[in-house]
Amino acid sequence: MKKILSIMLIATIVTSVLTGCVNDKDIPSKEVYSHIVNLDFNLNVDPETFAFEVESNGVTERVSEPLADMEVSNLKDDENIISWTYLEQGIDVAIEKKDKYVDVTIKSSKDEENLFSWPSVKGDGYMLPLNQGKYIPSNDSIWRSYLNEKKMKVIEAFSMQFFAVDKSEYSVVYIIKNPYNNEIAFNTENDIEFTFNHEFPTINEQKEYGFRIYVTEKNPVDIAKTYKNYLIEQGDFKSLADKAEENSNIEKLYGAPHAYFWDRTVISEGNIEWAILRDAIPEKLKLWIQGLLTTKVEDGSELSLAFEDLNSVDYVDKYTKNRIINSLSAVMQLKEFYNPEVFTETNKEIQRLLNRGIENLNPVELIDLNKRLLKSVLGNAVDPIEQWADANTVEVIKDMKDSGLENMWIGLDDWQEGFIKPELVTEAEDMGYLIGTYDSYHSIHEPGKEKWETAKFKDTSLYENATVTNKDGNKIEGFQGAGRKLNPTLAMPSVKERVTSILNTGLAFNSWFLDTDGTGEIYDDYTPEHVTTEEEDIHARIKRMEYLQKEWNMVVGTEGGNDFANKNVAFAHGIETPSFSWMDKDMSKNKESDYYVGRYYSSTGGVPELFSKQIPLKNKYKKLFLDSNYTIPLYKLVYNDSVITTYWWGWGTLKIEDEISNRMLYEVLYNVPPLYHIDKHEWEKHKETIVRHSKVWSNFSKKAITEEMTGFKIISDDRLVQMTEFGEALSVVANFSEDEFNFQGETIPGKSLLIIDGNSNTIYTPKK
């Protein structure tokens, strides 16, 4: 007969605010535990099958379905701890009664690789930290199809390290104690269910995993706050206020929309007297530029033909002007641009720069030299170089400020944009904006064959000596199959070299964006010369975040924002809407499809099609990634006052043409910064929409950002009217339906929201 072991657990109700340190970790004194109720429960466990049940208020539910029978040895049943061994599997189990939860620890006693699967979970629905958070009914047909036989690497797929299962009368919350080497495997043959698998790699001395298991009311607030309290207890939560005490620039994020600014033109259309240019450009200069385009510039052969068109027409059309601008902008970034046979006259400043040696010039100085060289030949056919590209850059930024956009985070596609127009960076900082560059250390390409700038490293030995090998002995491919993945534990000297070389040009960046570091796309590296665990991989990424924070006083952001990075970043892109266009050929490859996201290309040197082209979205992807029926603010309930989150850059506020109003409502309801892509043309096109919405959102967010999100409620039966609460006096009711909704005497029109700020009520209806 099987022996069923039982423990009675009396869960304490948190009724008072606790402050200060609760263990030996450094917890900021102002962090407080959230007021929540964890339910009392008893548990029963069957060691032979590891079936696990809880009983609360007379209702019994399974925490884990039974596994296949296993032989049990070393069974011990003390007052507060049950433990046993699965000798054949090489697994030791211990279950300990705590004050408000049960602690489950599973250890491997094998030296070789081992794998164990527990728990096996079924429920009426699931609250999973997929990005911001999802409520998934177990019988939902769309999610059943999406999750069918899907396996998810937990630290990558989950933005936080917990999950919750809805039972008939309550929810069971599982907090994951060891975030590494975990996988969830879904089975949707009937309703959705899944199994949690943990791998014990041979290279990892850490041979245990486990869970804290709580029972709560069936709502996202109690579930998320249970996890937040755990983080505070562990010393793993840090508020924006604490971060701002270390770097006051973080306060510039408060109420700040996010915008990627695009302009790679060294000279703009308005800087050229086109009628004069036809006669002013010497044949020797024209041939020299054409030669550089065809030999040194990708796709430069087509651009070089523009100079033939320039001399063959009476009127220079827009197409030809764009090609001339792109041609001149490309060659003026080249070290090879100077040719003493072409540039025969030099002034004092040109000679000073030449005397230093072109190889010794930093990129800003090089472009400055090349501007002066071109001006020396073209004379009055072009404006003074100090004015070049101002209309496309500095003037746009000034107009944004003058239009009432008080705070902004501005990102550049890469640091080369800053080299081209350093005045843009200086102007943005002078206006009180944050401005930073995108950077990445994830992929490395073979030296001499680099496809993009961030995959190029001065230390060329890294490609052979510092890349990741899987347990089968194969190198892991880089992004889009190009190159390899760089081991972050070996990258820090290159991080320091790159960052220092960029900032030593004098560029006044005050923010830095690290691609992929917060996504959880991490690896065990089996390369014999530098064996590395997932945990070491994560810690190396955190060290480079800290380097930018502490050594350069940067406001650091990352792609992803998964919560292992929460103490080290101020903002994250991707939590709200992740990258998913790769899932569908119509979005990613079929250029004839209405759903095609667009090319990473701009004919004007501004915003690429990928970001400026507005598209519809197939219903399937709306349901999975946008639908308010499924989205719940798990991440915001934990991190609203710690990490500012918005969309992955490919899914900005204006990208999905039939979802713009819903996304604006969402941005206020969830306190999510709007995200835009700006150049001169996109700013002029969308200025009214951006300014109108951003003013409402910013005024709200400046108050919400310093508060904890304290509440989330579904107000209507169809889930289309929802409410969030921040602190004690600020709340939002969003009506995603087309119809009016009456809330406590206030009529909220369709596709509108009500902001309640103390005794002040404001209705807001977004307009595209």
Side-chain angles (χ1 to χ4, degrees), residues 32-50:
V32 298
Y33 289 90
S34 299
H35 297 248
I36 59 167
V37 176
N38 293 122
L39 303 181
D40 298 344
F41 65 93
N42 304 322
L43 69 88
N44 297 314
V45 61
D46 174 9
E48 290 185 8
T49 64
F50 213 160

Side-chain angles (χ1 to χ4, degrees), residues 344-411:
T344 56
E345 296 184 13
T346 60
N347 59 31
K348 183 177 180 180
E349 185 60 23
I350 291 174
Q351 196 58 54
R352 182 185 72 81
L353 291 167
L354 289 175
N355 288 343
R356 287 183 54 196
I358 289 176
E359 290 299 321
N360 297 321
L361 300 179
N362 69 43
V364 173
E365 294 168 329
L366 174 68
I367 294 170
D368 181 59
L369 168 64
N370 291 342
K371 287 179 182 180
R372 295 175 185 278
L373 290 169
L374 186 65
K375 173 69 173 174
S376 72
V377 174
L378 296 184
N380 63 359
V382 294
D383 287 339
I385 63 169
E386 292 78 16
Q387 299 173 22
W388 287 10
D390 272 1
N392 289 2
T393 55
V394 173
E395 290 180 13
V396 176
I397 294 288
K398 286 181 177 178
D399 193 37
M400 291 166 67
K401 185 75 171 184
D402 291 342
S403 298
L405 300 182
E406 182 180 345
N407 288 357
M408 291 287 293
W409 178 86
I410 295 173

Side-chain angles (χ1 to χ4, degrees), residues 573-593:
H573 292 177
I575 287 291
E576 306 304 332
T577 307
S579 169
F580 61 84
S581 59
W582 55 270
M583 295 171 59
D584 189 290
K585 288 183 179 180
D586 282 341
M587 285 191 285
S588 62
K589 298 185 183 300
N590 182 5
K591 295 180 181 179
E592 305 303 315
S593 171

Side-chain angles (χ1 to χ4, degrees), residues 433-483:
Y433 288 171
L434 290 171
I435 184 165
T437 184
Y438 164 99
D439 195 5
S440 180
Y441 300 92
H442 203 48
S443 294
I444 181 171
H445 295 173
E446 185 177 348
K449 299 181 180 180
E450 296 90 353
K451 293 186 176 181
W452 49 81
E453 190 68 21
T454 59
K456 181 178 183 179
F457 293 86
K458 192 171 183 179
D459 182 356
T460 56
S461 70
L462 294 176
Y463 188 76
E464 294 298 335
N465 300 332
T467 49
V468 180
T469 305
N470 65 21
K471 62 184 175 183
D472 296 325
N474 300 315
K475 290 293 183 183
I476 297 178
E477 292 182 338
F479 179 65
Q480 294 184 342

